Amino acid sequence: MTSTLATGPSPTRSSTRVVRNDPALQAFWLLRVGFTVAPILFGLDKFFHVLVNWDRYFAPFIVRQTPWTAHELMYAVGVIEIVAGLVVALRPRFGGYLVAAWLAGIIVNLVIVPGFYDVALRDFGLLIAAIALARLATAFGSPARAVRS
C-alpha cells in the first residue's frame, strides 16, 4: 500500500510551485516587500532630505500647534515610518493597518496644505493597498499558512 505523502511532491517543491502559481500570494509578497522597503527608505530620508525637502509637506497649521519646527517634526515622522516598515516586515496583518492609519493622517495633513491634493490622492491609493496587504495577510501572513495553501 502506497501513501500519497510518499508519492507526492516534496513540501519544499510544492511550496515553491504554490508561490509561482498563486497570484494572490504573489500580490501579498509584492505588497509586503513594498510596504516594508518604502516606509524605511522614506523614513530615513526624513533625516537626510536626499529625495525631497519633506519639511514643505508639513501643514503650517499643524506646525504652529507644536513647539517644534517642521524639520524637527520630520525626525519624528521618519522614526514612525521606519518602525511602520519594520512592523510590516514582521507582522504584515497588523502592519498593513498601521500603515493605512499613518497614510490617513498624511492625507489629512496634505489636504490642509494648499497645492498637494494630487499627493493626497496618491496616498489614498496607497492607503487602499495597505488595507489590501492587511487583508491578504490573514491568508498568507504566517509561514505555516503559506505552506499549507
Side-chain angles (χ1 to χ4, degrees):
M1 189 151 110
T2 314
S3 121
T4 23
L5 188 57
T7 59
S10 72
T12 305
R13 187 175 176 142
S14 176
S15 300
T16 304
R17 189 170 35 249
V18 168
V19 172
R20 286 186 192 156
N21 296 328
D22 187 348
L25 184 56
Q26 293 168 359
F28 166 73
W29 278 104
L30 283 168
L31 290 168
R32 186 174 185 178
V33 170
F35 280 113
T36 295
V37 173
I40 291 171
L41 288 178
F42 295 145
L44 286 170
D45 196 52
K46 300 300 189 288
F47 293 91
F48 305 108
H49 295 278
V50 172
L51 299 173
V52 69
N53 178 4
W54 296 100
D55 301 351
R56 68 189 191 109
Y57 290 98
F58 229 121
F61 169 78
I62 294 173
V63 175
R64 282 193 302 268
Q65 307 305 314
T66 72
W68 302 288
T69 66
H71 189 71
E72 292 167 333
L73 288 169
M74 276 300 161
Y75 291 144
V77 168
V79 169
I80 292 167
E81 289 178 351
I82 292 166
V83 169
L86 293 172
V87 171
V88 168
L90 300 172
R91 304 264 322 265
R93 184 176 179 185
F94 176 74
Y97 290 121
L98 175 65
V99 169
W102 183 247
L103 285 163
I106 291 171
I107 291 166
V108 169
N109 172 73
L110 290 170
V111 168
I112 295 171
V113 181
F116 291 114
Y117 302 124
D118 57 331
V119 181
L121 183 60
R122 180 213 53 204
D123 284 352
F124 181 72
L126 289 171
L127 182 148
I128 292 169
I131 292 170
L133 167 64
R135 296 300 302 139
L136 285 166
T138 62
F140 304 114
S142 73
R145 286 186 182 174
V147 171
R148 280 191 303 225
S149 298

